[in-house]
Every structure is written in structure tokens, then in C-alpha cells.
Amino acid sequence: VSHGDEDHISGIRELLEEGLIGNLVLTKASAENEKCKALAAIACQKGTKVWYISEGDSYSSGKWSFACLYPRNSLPAGTEENDTSMVLSVSCPGAAFLFTGDVTENAERAVVINCGDALGVSGKITVLKCAHHGSRYSSSETFLYAARPDLTVISCGKYNSYGHPSAEAMQRIAASGSSMLFTMDGGAVTVESSGKVRTYKHYSGSNIGG
């Protein structure tokens, strides 16, 4: 779970209540967040294991590796809710994925400074889940230069009231050399470990970057 915003946890809450999740992973920094505490409580009631991770923690399962790049155990008082989001690196042979929650450029900077060497395979991300739905306050040039994603997936609703994705963020992503997919156009995006990409509306069968 990236952080406690309702649009990031509502579906997870329903799955927990149905007893369909084996492990719930939260950040140590979110341990006192009321919504995250409520999720953990439901998990305990349903027999779901609850794990708390922070920057530097990692886990492997078969050919897959998971590493938390942000946040640390605790954050300064007054840290914006979006900048409490988990940044998670997931990799398998030949591919690396980066999930960023709703972090802003402030947290992106911390990731680059503290974990720049761990951003991806040889410093290159195969798929980046765009931070904060394409907000103009995220996807900074510094972060994109460090990650160098082949494909950036932007999750946003059509005609949303926030104006996501912003023109500024899309320009920076395009300038980084990354291609883009938008859930508002094709629906849910699925990327196979082989590099094949499909969306809810159609299956392209193409490789990333192809």
C-alpha cells in the first residue's frame, strides 16, 4: 500500500474484508496513519499478515526481487501526505518496474540522493508507474534522468477535476525518451515480464519501446 489516500486503499480494503489478501505491506512511516491503521486492523481480523517496511528493506521470491527505496522509518513532522508514499522497486531478469505512489519532486529527490544506484537494472527502469497521476509537481527532470524509463504508465480518470495528467509532466516524460500509456485511454495496463504490453481495451502484443 503506497499511502493512506482513499483512492489508493479503497479496493484493497474490500479485498481484505473478503479475506482475499495473504500479506499486507505498509511503510513504517505510515504506522500511525489512521486509515493505514484501520487497514492493518482489518487484516489482523481476517488472518492477513501485516508487514512494515522502509527504505533499504528488500525481499526476493523466485526470480523476483522487491526493494523499498522510500520512505525511511520516520519522516519530519508536517510532511505532506503524498510524500509519505512508498516507492517500490520490483525486478526480474531483464526488467525493472518502479511504483511511486503520489510522491512529489521533494520525495523523488530523496530517492535519487539516497537510492540512485538501486533505481533499476543498470540504472534503467523498464516500466515507471508515474507519480501522482501525472501531477505537475511530480516526475521531475532529475528523477526521470536517474530512472530513464522505457515506458511510463499514467493512471488517471478522463475529465478528472485535478487536470491530471499535466502538460508539464508529460513534456518532461517525453523529453526523457520514455513512451507513455494512459489508463484514461485504454483502461488498466498490464505489462508481462517478457515485455509484452496490453490494456483493458485491447492487446497490442508489442514489446516495450516497440
Side-chain angles (χ1 to χ4, degrees), residues 87-106:
V87 176
L88 187 69
S89 171
V90 180
S91 60
C92 64
F97 305 82
L98 189 62
F99 300 90
T100 55
D102 279 350
V103 293
T104 71
E105 60 182 331
N106 294 325

Side-chain angles (χ1 to χ4, degrees), residues 119-153:
L119 276 177
V121 178
S122 299
K124 188 173 180 64
I125 294 296
T126 312
V127 181
L128 169 67
K129 199 293 293 181
C130 185
H132 202 189
H133 317 286
S135 164
R136 65 190 179 100
Y137 301 109
S138 303
S139 301
S140 62
E141 291 180 355
T142 299
F143 184 74
L144 291 169
Y145 178 80
R148 296 189 296 128
D150 290 322
L151 171 66
T152 299
V153 177

Side-chain angles (χ1 to χ4, degrees), residues 2-210:
S2 60
H3 62 308
D5 278 1
E6 191 64 22
D7 61 319
H8 288 249
I9 66 171
S10 58
I12 294 171
R13 183 190 298 117
E14 292 182 15
L15 293 172
L16 281 172
E17 291 172 343
E18 293 295 324
L20 298 176
I21 296 179
N23 295 272
L24 176 69
V25 183
L26 303 165
T27 66
K28 292 177 182 176
S30 72
E32 297 305 315
N33 177 280
E34 292 303 320
K35 289 189 176 181
C36 289
K37 286 169 66 175
L39 278 184
I42 296 171
C44 291
Q45 293 170 4
K46 297 295 181 177
T48 298
K49 294 181 180 179
V50 181
W51 303 82
Y52 292 94
I53 64 174
S54 62
E55 180 185 311
D57 290 336
S58 61
Y59 173 76
S60 295
S61 179
K63 295 181 179 180
W64 292 88
S65 297
F66 306 81
C68 181
L69 307 186
Y70 179 90
R72 295 183 172 180
N73 288 347
S74 60
L75 292 167
T79 298
E80 182 184 354
E81 177 68 18
N82 288 333
D83 280 340
T84 69
S85 295
M86 180 194 302
V87 176
L88 187 69
S89 171
V90 180
S91 60
C92 64
F97 305 82
L98 189 62
F99 300 90
T100 55
D102 279 350
V103 293
T104 71
E105 60 182 331
N106 294 325
E108 290 176 345
R109 190 180 304 112
V111 171
V112 172
I113 292 172
N114 298 327
C115 303
D117 292 340
L119 276 177
V121 178
S122 299
K124 188 173 180 64
I125 294 296
T126 312
V127 181
L128 169 67
K129 199 293 293 181
C130 185
H132 202 189
H133 317 286
S135 164
R136 65 190 179 100
Y137 301 109
S138 303
S139 301
S140 62
E141 291 180 355
T142 299
F143 184 74
L144 291 169
Y145 178 80
R148 296 189 296 128
D150 290 322
L151 171 66
T152 299
V153 177
I154 302 176
S155 175
C156 53
K158 190 169 285 189
Y159 311 124
N160 67 83
S161 60
Y162 299 99
H164 296 153
S166 70
E168 297 95 328
M170 288 190 289
Q171 288 170 358
R172 291 192 293 268
I173 294 168
S176 75
S178 176
S179 57
M180 289 177 272
L181 280 177
F182 305 87
T183 60
M184 64 181 178
D185 294 332
V189 177
T190 301
V191 181
E192 300 175 6
S193 58
S194 64
K196 298 292 185 180
V197 181
R198 59 185 170 88
T199 67
Y200 177 79
K201 289 188 177 180
H202 71 279
Y203 179 73
S204 71
S206 62
N207 285 316
I208 295 170

